[in-house]
């Protein structure tokens, strides 16, 4: 009878471990996965569109669970990149997998976007960070002005003005866009009354959208003309010539 009792007790323990007796749960629960942080790195690292996304919120779930992550994106450099597009999501932490993603996702210029992806958890226990990578493509500036040169017309005059200096002296932008600039000069004892009456630009394709003219030329004074110039509708690389027209009265 003693031997029989021992066998019976052993049977009860085995059944309890296997969870086969009604009302008695298993002694060993499912494996747990704890994600201590999430880091999404956009590549290449030099991309001007998006910065690294990081979250330190901790999440614990059962192994083989799933979690959906949402990342709000803003075009961070509309003056340096257009058509910023997240092409895909890559999971870098071993054991995790990508279940779904809403890529490719293009964030409008000066706009926002919502990146949503679901990650599958590993089948074994894990406690640590989750790292992901997202390749990004973008369009860089296609109008590159290598130098802005400003000149007077007529080149010889009695207005007593020094040669003007452009600000900025070069720039990069996108076709169809515009930029704000100025031409600064010294007025030195003009022998007659003068005024800057108009501004023109060359080559063709560039346009003067606005300018602070007429601008009277004073005496012994730092002066200047501000302007907004429209960029050409096609690709361009080269110099930009700005002409300030003087009227002598």
């Amino acid at each position: 009878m003693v031997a029989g009792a021992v066998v019976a007790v052993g049977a009860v323990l085995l059944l309890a471990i296997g969870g086969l007796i009604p009302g008695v749960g298993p002694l060993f629960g499912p494996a747990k996965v704890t994600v201590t942080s999430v880091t999404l790195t956009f590549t290449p690292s030099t991309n001007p569109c998006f910065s690294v996304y990081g979250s330190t919120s901790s999440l614990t779930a059962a192994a083989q669970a799933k979690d959906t992550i949402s990342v709000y994106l803003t075009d961070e450099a509309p003056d340096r990149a257009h058509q910023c597009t997240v092409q895909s999501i890559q999971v870098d932490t071993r054991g995790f997998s990508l279940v779904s993603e809403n890529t490719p996702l293009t964030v409008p210029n000066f706009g926002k976007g919502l990146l949503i992806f679901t990650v599958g958890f590993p089948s074994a226990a894990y406690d640590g960070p989750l790292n992901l990578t997202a390749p990004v493509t973008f369009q860089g500036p296609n109008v590159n002005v290598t130098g802005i040169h400003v000149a007077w017309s007529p080149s010889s005059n009695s207005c007593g003005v020094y040669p003007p200096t452009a600000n900025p002296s070069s720039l990069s932008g996108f076709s169809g866009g515009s930029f704000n600039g100025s031409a600064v000069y010294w007025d030195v004892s003009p022998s007659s009354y003068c005024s800057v009456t108009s501004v023109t630009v060359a080559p063709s394709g560039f346009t003067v959208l606005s300018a602070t003219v007429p601008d009277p030329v004073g005496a012994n004074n730092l002066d200047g003309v501000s302007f907004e110039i429209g960029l050409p509708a096609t690709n361009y690389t080269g110099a930009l010539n700005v002409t300030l027209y003087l009227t002598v009265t």
Side-chain angles (χ1 to χ4, degrees):
M1 292 182 63
V2 174
V6 171
V7 172
V9 171
V12 171
L13 290 174
L14 289 173
L15 290 172
I17 292 172
L20 301 178
I21 296 179
V24 180
L27 299 181
F28 303 102
K32 296 291 185 181
V33 174
T34 298
V35 176
T36 56
S37 64
V38 177
T39 301
L40 175 61
T41 302
F42 297 96
T43 59
S45 59
T46 55
N47 89 86
C49 299
F50 313 118
S51 302
V52 174
Y53 166 82
S55 173
T56 56
S57 298
S58 181
L59 169 67
T60 299
Q64 296 183 311
K66 300 175 183 178
D67 185 47
T68 299
I69 300 172
S70 298
V71 179
Y72 291 91
L73 300 176
T74 300
D75 181 9
E76 298 178 2
D79 59 333
R80 293 186 290 132
H82 285 187
Q83 295 296 313
C84 291
T85 302
V86 181
Q87 292 294 344
S88 62
I89 303 292
Q90 300 172 2
V91 181
D92 301 326
T93 302
R94 185 175 181 180
F96 290 84
S97 61
L98 189 68
V99 178
S100 63
E101 57 182 313
N102 67 332
T103 60
L105 175 67
T106 300
V107 176
N109 198 217
F110 294 96
K112 300 179 182 295
L114 181 59
L115 181 63
I116 303 174
F117 54 93
T118 300
V119 176
F121 287 9
S123 57
Y126 176 80
D127 188 337
L130 170 59
N131 298 315
L132 308 104
T133 300
V136 174
T137 59
F138 56 93
Q139 175 191 336
N142 61 344
V143 176
N144 296 287
V145 177
T146 55
I148 300 177
H149 309 297
V150 186
W152 295 113
S153 180
S155 58
S156 60
N157 57 77
S158 59
C159 297
V161 287
Y162 278 26
T165 301
N167 182 33
S169 59
S170 62
L171 66 97
S172 294
F174 294 89
S175 57
S178 66
F179 78 95
N180 294 308
S182 63
V184 180
Y185 50 89
W186 278 99
D187 310 329
V188 183
S189 302
S191 59
S192 55
Y193 180 80
C194 299
S195 181
V196 181
T197 54
S198 63
V199 179
T200 63
V201 289
S204 61
F206 290 89
T207 56
V208 178
L209 302 177
S210 64
T212 56
V213 291
D215 179 57
V217 174
N220 300 314
N221 184 45
L222 180 65
D223 205 347
V225 173
S226 298
F227 43 74
E228 182 183 6
I229 295 179
L231 303 180
T234 57
N235 297 353
Y236 177 80
T237 298
L240 171 65
N241 297 313
V242 179
T243 302
L244 306 180
Y245 286 84
L246 285 166
T247 298
V248 181
T249 59

